[in-house]
Amino acid sequence: MGALAIVLFFVGLLVVILIHELAHYATARRFGFRVLEYFVGFGPRVWSTRRKGIEYGVKALPVGGYVRIAGMNPFVDDVPPGDEERAYGAKPIWQRAVVIASGPLSHFLVAAVLFTAVNVMVGDLRYSVDVATVDEHLADGATSPAFVAGLLPGDVILSADGVASPGAQELGDLIEASVGRPMPITVEREGEVHDLAVTPVTDCLGGSWGGTGMVLGAGAPVRVVTVPPELPGGAPSPALASGIEPGDLLLRVGPAITPSRAEVQAVVGRNQGNPIPIVLQRGDRQVATVLTPVPGCFGGTEVGRIGVLLGPRPLPVPLAVKEGVISVWDSARESVVSIGRVFGPQGVGRIASLLFTDADRDLNDPASVVGIGQQVGAVGEQGEWAFMILILAYVTVFIGLVNLLPLPPFDGGHLALLAIEKVRGRPVDMRRVVPVSAVVMAFLVTFVLATVIVDITKPLPTP
């Protein structure tokens, strides 16, 4: 299921890119631009045909597509005789701007369709809060507050802490504000109303409680893969201090015999700052030692939780469309912040740190399509297809906004050049823009390759 989800996600991403190019193509044809080529993919031609002077075809690398308009390349005289008035530079600035902007703007339309489809088929968490699942245990192995309080899958939350019909975000804020104190919750269960009380606690989402300084493999008993000398933040590694070595097999960790990785994390989470007796199998002998985990949330984020997964209800079509458009706006605002964080000093510095140090990966780190694909695979393994579509919608908006950056060779760079031409009253010499485009592309390619390497060597934690 995970592999299928990844394939479908990348097919969807390819379709988004092709729609982007189709928008350029359709608007260029609408305004009478001389379109020379419309190709799917890059690299060597696999197949092509020519109709009404336009070559349509497929190339070997299915990683996108392109539309070639006569007169756009400053180094090639590709305007057919008699078509000078249909060349890119001969058209009014506003028409050129529409042709350029139509590509990235199509992303927002596609995202709105995706958000709306999820709202119709599954629902919107902001409008209904049903309890989909109740976790019996949290990251530290403790019994979850929701399980203790008696919440059950299928319960509909009518009110929480006095707030009627809270949305998912609102409920999360209420839980965060109520950590450590009982919070009244009213639920509807099979037509009956039940008043409950749940005491939220701080949990480590996407990571594990207690730093040990050892990377564990899979299976049971679990094997130690590596032992970094330091924890994130520079604290000494407890595993190194305890004499644990790569290759050691964990026969016993506290009360857990031949534990799995999840069982080790649970024991560690319950014993932060406390010594844990450990028995190792090293070669043909057993070694006994004591491991004292460093308190804290490692590889994740500390949040207030009660231990439930919420599920939505399908929305009627008019409301689904409205909320789909609002979701595009919300994700666009989040993407603007993310673009500055990912491509700014913080993101570049973080990728460099992950690439050249033993720093652990965090859910908030920049990710390439490889990392996103890994997350999609994890979601697919759980059968959460709606979340896969939502991820595709968010990525679609993000790519659309990146394309609007006012830097060549992005579409936003071409729009900026048109704005300069409008102000100056004469076109910008595109040959002077090429070095800027080369620098931007060099940075982007380097950053993406570095992020791909990080995604492969240090995968993102599974949310």
Side-chain angles (χ1 to χ4, degrees):
M1 294 290 284
L4 177 61
I6 293 173
V7 171
L8 292 177
F9 173 79
F10 281 104
V11 168
L13 199 57
L14 178 60
V15 170
V16 170
I17 295 172
L18 294 180
I19 292 175
H20 174 116
E21 298 302 330
L22 183 61
H24 287 314
Y25 170 84
T27 51
R29 291 293 304 275
R30 173 65 181 80
F31 292 129
F33 285 70
R34 180 63 167 94
V35 178
L36 301 174
E37 296 179 354
Y38 180 94
F39 269 84
V40 177
F42 296 97
R45 279 180 174 81
V46 175
W47 169 87
S48 70
T49 184
R50 184 175 293 275
R51 295 181 181 178
K52 297 182 180 180
I54 302 174
E55 186 177 10
Y56 302 88
V58 177
K59 294 195 173 183
L61 302 176
V63 291
Y66 70 91
V67 174
R68 183 180 162 206
I69 299 174
M72 285 197 71
N73 189 333
F75 298 102
V76 178
D77 183 8
D78 57 2
V79 181
D83 280 335
E84 288 79 9
E85 293 184 357
R86 301 175 63 197
Y88 177 79
K91 291 293 183 176
I93 289 178
W94 71 270
Q95 290 186 0
R96 284 181 274 162
V98 171
V99 170
I100 295 299
S102 62
L105 291 180
S106 71
H107 288 244
F108 307 123
L109 177 60
V110 171
V113 171
L114 293 174
F115 282 126
T116 298
V118 173
N119 291 340
V120 170
M121 294 185 296
V122 178
D124 190 325
L125 282 173
R126 295 173 300 180
Y127 271 80
S128 60
V129 182
D130 297 3
V131 177
T133 61
V134 177
D135 297 329
E136 186 173 350
H137 300 287
L138 300 181
D140 62 354
T143 305
S144 79
F147 187 81
V148 172
L151 279 167
L152 297 177
D155 286 351
V156 179
I157 298 179
L158 302 178
S159 69
D161 206 19
V163 177
S165 302
Q169 183 62 52
E170 194 173 17
L171 180 61
D173 293 340
L174 292 172
I175 291 172
E176 198 73 42
S178 302
V179 170
R181 69 173 179 85
M183 182 178 71
I185 287 185
T186 301
V187 302
E188 180 183 339
R189 180 183 303 159
E190 297 180 351
E192 297 182 356
V193 175
H194 298 265
D195 293 320
L196 308 173
V198 59
T199 303
V201 298
T202 300
D203 194 23
C204 184
L205 188 65
S208 58
W209 283 118
T212 61
M214 58 182 178
V215 178
L216 304 177
V222 69
R223 188 178 299 276
V224 179
V225 177
T226 58
V227 181
E230 294 180 346
L231 297 176
S237 166
L240 189 66
S242 299
I244 298 174
E245 299 178 0
D248 287 347
L249 203 62
L250 301 182
L251 300 181
R252 179 169 188 158
V253 178
I257 309 297
T258 61
S260 65
R261 180 166 53 190
E263 289 172 323
V264 172
Q265 291 173 342
V267 172
V268 168
R270 290 194 298 266
N271 292 278
Q272 299 178 69
N274 300 318
I276 303 173
I278 288 182
V279 178
L280 311 167
Q281 181 73 43
R282 183 177 298 159
D284 57 357
R285 63 191 179 96
Q286 292 187 0
V287 178
T289 186
V290 174
L291 176 68
T292 304
V294 173
C297 175
F298 292 83
T301 305
E302 292 187 38
V303 296
R305 288 193 69 208
I306 60 175
V308 298
L309 179 64
L310 303 177
R313 298 175 187 168
L315 299 181
V317 172
L319 184 58
V321 173
K322 174 186 174 183
E323 294 307 317
V325 173
I326 292 175
S327 295
V328 171
W329 173 253
D330 290 341
S331 57
R333 288 189 303 175
E334 294 172 8
S335 294
V336 168
V337 176
S338 296
I339 288 172
R341 177 177 57 83
V342 170
F343 296 112
Q346 179 185 352
V348 173
R350 180 60 178 162
I351 290 297
S353 175
L354 291 168
L355 198 59
F356 299 111
T357 72
D358 293 328
D360 288 332
R361 199 73 189 274
D362 186 87
L363 272 173
N364 295 319
D365 288 335
S368 69
V369 289
V370 173
I372 295 170
Q374 293 166 346
Q375 298 296 295
V376 168
V379 169
E381 286 288 352
Q382 300 167 12
E384 301 288 350
W385 296 102
F387 282 103
M388 186 194 77
I389 298 175
L390 290 178
I391 292 173
L392 177 60
Y394 285 120
V395 172
T396 298
V397 172
F398 184 86
I399 295 174
L401 284 172
V402 168
N403 263 281
L404 285 174
L405 288 175
L407 294 170
F410 298 126
D411 289 330
H414 288 285
L415 292 174
L417 294 175
L418 291 175
I420 294 173
E421 179 181 341
K422 181 68 175 178
V423 172
R424 295 174 59 193
R426 64 181 186 276
V428 177
D429 186 349
M430 292 299 293
R431 289 171 294 185
R432 296 184 178 181
V433 178
V434 171
V436 179
S437 299
V439 171
V440 173
M441 285 303 298
F443 166 80
L444 187 63
V445 169
T446 302
F447 183 84
V448 169
L449 287 177
T451 309
V452 167
I453 293 172
V454 169
D455 284 335
I456 294 173
T457 58
K458 296 180 179 180
L460 284 166
T462 301

